[in-house]
Amino acid sequence: MIPAALLLAGCLRSTPTRDAWTNDASIEFPHFFGQPAVEVGADGGTVELNGTVLHALEAAAADFLGPQDANTPCVDRRESHRYRVIQRQGITFVRMDEDPRACGLTVPALHSGAQYAVGSDGRILRRLRDGEPDGSLMPTDAGPGILVPTSEVGRSFDAPDGSVPLPFLQAPSLDAGTGGRHGP
């Protein structure tokens, strides 16, 4: 009876979920590398962060890197990343990039960074991971273009009737698997 009651009580709890966020494409990210950043500890000076900036950093890192524990791989750890922060109009913009040197590597992984726009309440307003298309950029008008007759659509070299050999089949070549020559 007691095990059934405990099981039922466990089912009644709501499961934790991430805070809801919107991907507001109208928010444009600033140029994080447009000017030199002041690096913490570079000259031994004091750096002061307000709670809004700290909360934005925590929210972005938690979303991008997920939960952390002793088994988290080095490249996925928060301390293995570099962060840039810009505040504008009540929004904290955070740029995160993998720091390969923190893990004894020389180059970062492809698409290993992200940009976040975080509101003053700590809610993520926009996220853009490296390699994702930037929805805020509208395509430019390429003009009217050049019409291609339907008889030319899908046509490559010459007609495949054998009268003219295709250029990539004209000379014998080595087969990469056997080293033997193959060709027409």
Short mmCIF file of all heavy atoms in Angstrom, two decimals, residues 63-99:
data_model
loop_
_atom_site.label_atom_id
_atom_site.label_comp_id
_atom_site.label_asym_id
_atom_site.label_seq_id
_atom_site.Cartn_x
_atom_site.Cartn_y
_atom_site.Cartn_z
N ASP A 63 21.38 27.10 -21.37
CA ASP A 63 20.66 26.68 -22.57
C ASP A 63 21.61 26.03 -23.58
O ASP A 63 21.29 25.01 -24.16
CB ASP A 63 19.96 27.88 -23.20
CG ASP A 63 19.13 27.48 -24.41
OD1 ASP A 63 18.02 26.94 -24.21
OD2 ASP A 63 19.60 27.66 -25.55
N PHE A 64 22.76 26.64 -23.78
CA PHE A 64 23.68 26.16 -24.83
C PHE A 64 24.44 24.91 -24.40
O PHE A 64 24.62 23.98 -25.19
CB PHE A 64 24.66 27.27 -25.20
CG PHE A 64 25.55 26.93 -26.36
CD1 PHE A 64 25.03 26.68 -27.62
CD2 PHE A 64 26.92 26.87 -26.20
CE1 PHE A 64 25.85 26.37 -28.69
CE2 PHE A 64 27.75 26.57 -27.27
CZ PHE A 64 27.21 26.32 -28.51
N LEU A 65 24.89 24.88 -23.14
CA LEU A 65 25.75 23.79 -22.69
C LEU A 65 25.05 22.75 -21.85
O LEU A 65 25.60 21.67 -21.60
CB LEU A 65 26.94 24.37 -21.92
CG LEU A 65 27.82 25.32 -22.74
CD1 LEU A 65 28.80 26.04 -21.84
CD2 LEU A 65 28.50 24.58 -23.85
N GLY A 66 23.83 23.04 -21.39
CA GLY A 66 23.07 22.07 -20.62
C GLY A 66 23.60 21.89 -19.22
O GLY A 66 24.50 22.59 -18.76
N PRO A 67 23.04 20.90 -18.50
CA PRO A 67 23.46 20.65 -17.12
C PRO A 67 24.93 20.20 -17.07
O PRO A 67 25.41 19.56 -17.99
CB PRO A 67 22.54 19.54 -16.64
CG PRO A 67 21.59 19.25 -17.74
CD PRO A 67 21.98 20.02 -18.94
N GLN A 68 25.59 20.55 -16.00
CA GLN A 68 27.00 20.23 -15.82
C GLN A 68 27.18 19.29 -14.63
O GLN A 68 26.49 19.43 -13.62
CB GLN A 68 27.80 21.51 -15.56
CG GLN A 68 27.59 22.59 -16.61
CD GLN A 68 28.47 22.42 -17.82
OE1 GLN A 68 29.68 22.44 -17.71
NE2 GLN A 68 27.86 22.23 -18.97
N ASP A 69 28.08 18.34 -14.76
CA ASP A 69 28.47 17.50 -13.62
C ASP A 69 29.90 17.03 -13.85
O ASP A 69 30.55 17.46 -14.80
CB ASP A 69 27.50 16.33 -13.41
CG ASP A 69 27.45 15.35 -14.58
OD1 ASP A 69 28.43 15.27 -15.35
OD2 ASP A 69 26.44 14.64 -14.71
N ALA A 70 30.38 16.17 -13.00
CA ALA A 70 31.77 15.72 -13.08
C ALA A 70 32.06 14.95 -14.37
O ALA A 70 33.22 14.86 -14.79
CB ALA A 70 32.10 14.84 -11.87
N ASN A 71 31.05 14.40 -15.01
CA ASN A 71 31.24 13.62 -16.23
C ASN A 71 31.09 14.44 -17.51
O ASN A 71 31.18 13.88 -18.61
CB ASN A 71 30.26 12.45 -16.26
CG ASN A 71 30.52 11.48 -15.12
OD1 ASN A 71 31.67 11.21 -14.78
ND2 ASN A 71 29.46 10.97 -14.53
N THR A 72 30.84 15.73 -17.40
CA THR A 72 30.69 16.58 -18.58
C THR A 72 32.03 16.66 -19.30
O THR A 72 33.04 16.99 -18.68
CB THR A 72 30.21 17.99 -18.18
OG1 THR A 72 28.97 17.87 -17.48
CG2 THR A 72 30.01 18.86 -19.40
N PRO A 73 32.06 16.36 -20.62
CA PRO A 73 33.33 16.44 -21.36
C PRO A 73 33.90 17.86 -21.32
O PRO A 73 33.17 18.84 -21.24
CB PRO A 73 32.92 16.05 -22.79
CG PRO A 73 31.62 15.36 -22.66
CD PRO A 73 30.95 15.91 -21.45
N CYS A 74 35.20 17.96 -21.42
CA CYS A 74 35.89 19.24 -21.32
C CYS A 74 35.32 20.28 -22.29
O CYS A 74 35.08 21.42 -21.91
CB CYS A 74 37.38 19.05 -21.57
SG CYS A 74 38.35 20.57 -21.43
N VAL A 75 35.10 19.91 -23.55
CA VAL A 75 34.65 20.89 -24.54
C VAL A 75 33.22 21.38 -24.29
O VAL A 75 32.81 22.38 -24.87
CB VAL A 75 34.76 20.33 -25.99
CG1 VAL A 75 36.22 20.10 -26.35
CG2 VAL A 75 33.95 19.07 -26.16
N ASP A 76 32.47 20.70 -23.45
CA ASP A 76 31.10 21.10 -23.13
C ASP A 76 30.99 21.81 -21.78
O ASP A 76 29.89 22.13 -21.35
CB ASP A 76 30.17 19.88 -23.14
CG ASP A 76 30.03 19.28 -24.53
OD1 ASP A 76 30.14 20.04 -25.51
OD2 ASP A 76 29.83 18.06 -24.63
N ARG A 77 32.11 22.05 -21.13
CA ARG A 77 32.09 22.69 -19.82
C ARG A 77 32.03 24.21 -19.98
O ARG A 77 32.57 24.77 -20.91
CB ARG A 77 33.32 22.30 -19.02
CG ARG A 77 33.34 20.80 -18.67
CD ARG A 77 34.54 20.42 -17.89
NE ARG A 77 34.45 20.05 -16.50
CZ ARG A 77 33.39 19.80 -15.76
NH1 ARG A 77 32.23 19.94 -16.26
NH2 ARG A 77 33.47 19.43 -14.52
N ARG A 78 31.37 24.85 -19.05
CA ARG A 78 31.22 26.31 -19.10
C ARG A 78 32.57 27.01 -19.02
O ARG A 78 32.79 28.02 -19.67
CB ARG A 78 30.30 26.77 -17.98
CG ARG A 78 28.88 26.32 -18.22
CD ARG A 78 27.94 26.72 -17.13
NE ARG A 78 26.62 26.14 -17.44
CZ ARG A 78 25.64 26.09 -16.62
NH1 ARG A 78 25.75 26.59 -15.41
NH2 ARG A 78 24.48 25.56 -16.98
N GLU A 79 33.48 26.48 -18.23
CA GLU A 79 34.79 27.11 -18.09
C GLU A 79 35.68 26.91 -19.31
O GLU A 79 36.75 27.49 -19.40
CB GLU A 79 35.50 26.62 -16.82
CG GLU A 79 35.77 25.14 -16.76
CD GLU A 79 34.65 24.32 -16.12
OE1 GLU A 79 33.50 24.80 -16.02
OE2 GLU A 79 34.93 23.18 -15.72
N SER A 80 35.25 26.09 -20.26
CA SER A 80 36.00 25.86 -21.50
C SER A 80 35.48 26.73 -22.64
O SER A 80 35.71 26.42 -23.80
CB SER A 80 35.91 24.38 -21.90
OG SER A 80 36.46 23.57 -20.89
N HIS A 81 34.80 27.79 -22.30
CA HIS A 81 34.26 28.72 -23.30
C HIS A 81 34.68 30.15 -22.98
O HIS A 81 35.01 30.47 -21.84
CB HIS A 81 32.73 28.62 -23.35
CG HIS A 81 32.26 27.38 -24.03
ND1 HIS A 81 32.37 26.13 -23.45
CD2 HIS A 81 31.73 27.19 -25.25
CE1 HIS A 81 31.91 25.22 -24.30
NE2 HIS A 81 31.52 25.84 -25.39
N ARG A 82 34.66 31.00 -23.99
CA ARG A 82 34.93 32.42 -23.83
C ARG A 82 33.61 33.14 -24.04
O ARG A 82 32.81 32.74 -24.89
CB ARG A 82 35.96 32.90 -24.83
CG ARG A 82 37.16 32.00 -24.86
CD ARG A 82 38.49 32.46 -24.44
NE ARG A 82 38.83 33.83 -24.47
CZ ARG A 82 39.54 34.39 -23.51
NH1 ARG A 82 39.92 33.68 -22.48
NH2 ARG A 82 39.90 35.64 -23.57
N TYR A 83 33.39 34.20 -23.32
CA TYR A 83 32.12 34.93 -23.35
C TYR A 83 32.36 36.41 -23.65
O TYR A 83 33.29 37.00 -23.09
CB TYR A 83 31.40 34.80 -22.00
CG TYR A 83 31.14 33.37 -21.59
CD1 TYR A 83 32.12 32.63 -20.93
CD2 TYR A 83 29.93 32.76 -21.86
CE1 TYR A 83 31.90 31.32 -20.55
CE2 TYR A 83 29.70 31.44 -21.48
CZ TYR A 83 30.68 30.73 -20.83
OH TYR A 83 30.47 29.43 -20.46
N ARG A 84 31.51 36.97 -24.50
CA ARG A 84 31.51 38.42 -24.73
C ARG A 84 30.11 38.91 -24.43
O ARG A 84 29.12 38.25 -24.78
CB ARG A 84 31.87 38.75 -26.18
CG ARG A 84 33.34 38.56 -26.46
CD ARG A 84 33.69 38.93 -27.90
NE ARG A 84 35.13 38.85 -28.05
CZ ARG A 84 35.89 39.84 -28.48
NH1 ARG A 84 35.33 40.99 -28.82
NH2 ARG A 84 37.18 39.69 -28.59
N VAL A 85 30.02 40.07 -23.81
CA VAL A 85 28.72 40.61 -23.38
C VAL A 85 28.60 42.06 -23.83
O VAL A 85 29.54 42.85 -23.67
CB VAL A 85 28.57 40.53 -21.85
CG1 VAL A 85 27.25 41.12 -21.40
CG2 VAL A 85 28.71 39.10 -21.38
N ILE A 86 27.45 42.40 -24.40
CA ILE A 86 27.11 43.77 -24.77
C ILE A 86 25.70 44.03 -24.27
O ILE A 86 24.81 43.21 -24.47
CB ILE A 86 27.18 43.98 -26.30
CG1 ILE A 86 28.60 43.74 -26.82
CG2 ILE A 86 26.68 45.37 -26.68
CD1 ILE A 86 28.72 43.78 -28.34
N GLN A 87 25.49 45.16 -23.61
CA GLN A 87 24.14 45.54 -23.16
C GLN A 87 23.65 46.71 -23.98
O GLN A 87 24.37 47.70 -24.15
CB GLN A 87 24.15 45.93 -21.68
CG GLN A 87 24.13 44.75 -20.76
CD GLN A 87 23.91 45.18 -19.33
OE1 GLN A 87 24.69 45.96 -18.79
NE2 GLN A 87 22.87 44.66 -18.71
N ARG A 88 22.42 46.59 -24.49
CA ARG A 88 21.78 47.65 -25.26
C ARG A 88 20.28 47.60 -25.04
O ARG A 88 19.68 46.53 -25.14
CB ARG A 88 22.06 47.49 -26.76
CG ARG A 88 23.47 47.75 -27.16
CD ARG A 88 23.60 47.85 -28.66
NE ARG A 88 25.01 48.03 -28.98
CZ ARG A 88 25.56 47.61 -30.09
NH1 ARG A 88 24.83 47.01 -30.99
NH2 ARG A 88 26.83 47.80 -30.30
N GLN A 89 19.69 48.74 -24.78
CA GLN A 89 18.24 48.91 -24.71
C GLN A 89 17.56 47.83 -23.86
O GLN A 89 16.57 47.23 -24.26
CB GLN A 89 17.65 48.94 -26.12
CG GLN A 89 18.22 50.05 -26.97
CD GLN A 89 17.83 49.93 -28.43
OE1 GLN A 89 17.37 48.89 -28.88
NE2 GLN A 89 18.01 51.00 -29.17
N GLY A 90 18.11 47.55 -22.69
CA GLY A 90 17.49 46.60 -21.77
C GLY A 90 17.69 45.14 -22.14
O GLY A 90 17.10 44.25 -21.55
N ILE A 91 18.53 44.88 -23.15
CA ILE A 91 18.81 43.50 -23.57
C ILE A 91 20.29 43.23 -23.36
O ILE A 91 21.14 44.06 -23.69
CB ILE A 91 18.43 43.28 -25.06
CG1 ILE A 91 16.94 43.49 -25.26
CG2 ILE A 91 18.85 41.89 -25.51
CD1 ILE A 91 16.51 43.43 -26.72
N THR A 92 20.60 42.08 -22.81
CA THR A 92 21.99 41.65 -22.66
C THR A 92 22.28 40.65 -23.77
O THR A 92 21.62 39.62 -23.88
CB THR A 92 22.24 41.01 -21.28
OG1 THR A 92 21.87 41.94 -20.27
CG2 THR A 92 23.70 40.62 -21.11
N PHE A 93 23.25 40.99 -24.60
CA PHE A 93 23.66 40.11 -25.70
C PHE A 93 24.89 39.34 -25.25
O PHE A 93 25.85 39.92 -24.74
CB PHE A 93 23.97 40.93 -26.95
CG PHE A 93 22.79 41.64 -27.52
CD1 PHE A 93 22.53 42.96 -27.18
CD2 PHE A 93 21.93 41.00 -28.39
CE1 PHE A 93 21.43 43.62 -27.71
CE2 PHE A 93 20.83 41.65 -28.92
CZ PHE A 93 20.57 42.97 -28.57
N VAL A 94 24.83 38.02 -25.43
CA VAL A 94 25.92 37.15 -24.99
C VAL A 94 26.41 36.35 -26.19
O VAL A 94 25.62 35.76 -26.93
CB VAL A 94 25.44 36.16 -23.89
CG1 VAL A 94 26.56 35.22 -23.48
CG2 VAL A 94 24.89 36.91 -22.69
N ARG A 95 27.72 36.35 -26.37
CA ARG A 95 28.36 35.54 -27.41
C ARG A 95 29.25 34.54 -26.70
O ARG A 95 30.06 34.89 -25.85
CB ARG A 95 29.20 36.44 -28.32
CG ARG A 95 30.12 35.71 -29.28
CD ARG A 95 29.41 35.15 -30.45
NE ARG A 95 30.20 34.06 -31.01
CZ ARG A 95 29.79 33.28 -31.97
NH1 ARG A 95 28.61 33.46 -32.49
NH2 ARG A 95 30.52 32.31 -32.42
N MET A 96 29.07 33.24 -27.01
CA MET A 96 29.88 32.17 -26.42
C MET A 96 30.63 31.45 -27.52
O MET A 96 30.06 31.15 -28.56
CB MET A 96 28.98 31.15 -25.72
CG MET A 96 28.40 31.62 -24.44
SD MET A 96 27.42 30.33 -23.67
CE MET A 96 25.98 30.38 -24.67
N ASP A 97 31.89 31.18 -27.26
CA ASP A 97 32.73 30.42 -28.19
C ASP A 97 33.57 29.42 -27.41
O ASP A 97 34.05 29.73 -26.32
CB ASP A 97 33.66 31.35 -28.97
CG ASP A 97 32.90 32.21 -29.96
OD1 ASP A 97 32.43 31.66 -30.96
OD2 ASP A 97 32.77 33.42 -29.72
N GLU A 98 33.74 28.26 -28.00
CA GLU A 98 34.60 27.24 -27.39
C GLU A 98 36.02 27.78 -27.32
O GLU A 98 36.51 28.40 -28.27
CB GLU A 98 34.55 25.96 -28.23
CG GLU A 98 35.43 24.85 -27.73
CD GLU A 98 35.45 23.67 -28.68
OE1 GLU A 98 34.52 23.48 -29.47
OE2 GLU A 98 36.44 22.92 -28.62
N ASP A 99 36.71 27.55 -26.21
CA ASP A 99 38.11 27.91 -26.07
C ASP A 99 38.91 26.62 -26.14
O ASP A 99 39.04 25.90 -25.14
CB ASP A 99 38.34 28.62 -24.73
CG ASP A 99 39.79 29.07 -24.55
OD1 ASP A 99 40.60 28.87 -25.47
OD2 ASP A 99 40.09 29.62 -23.48
#
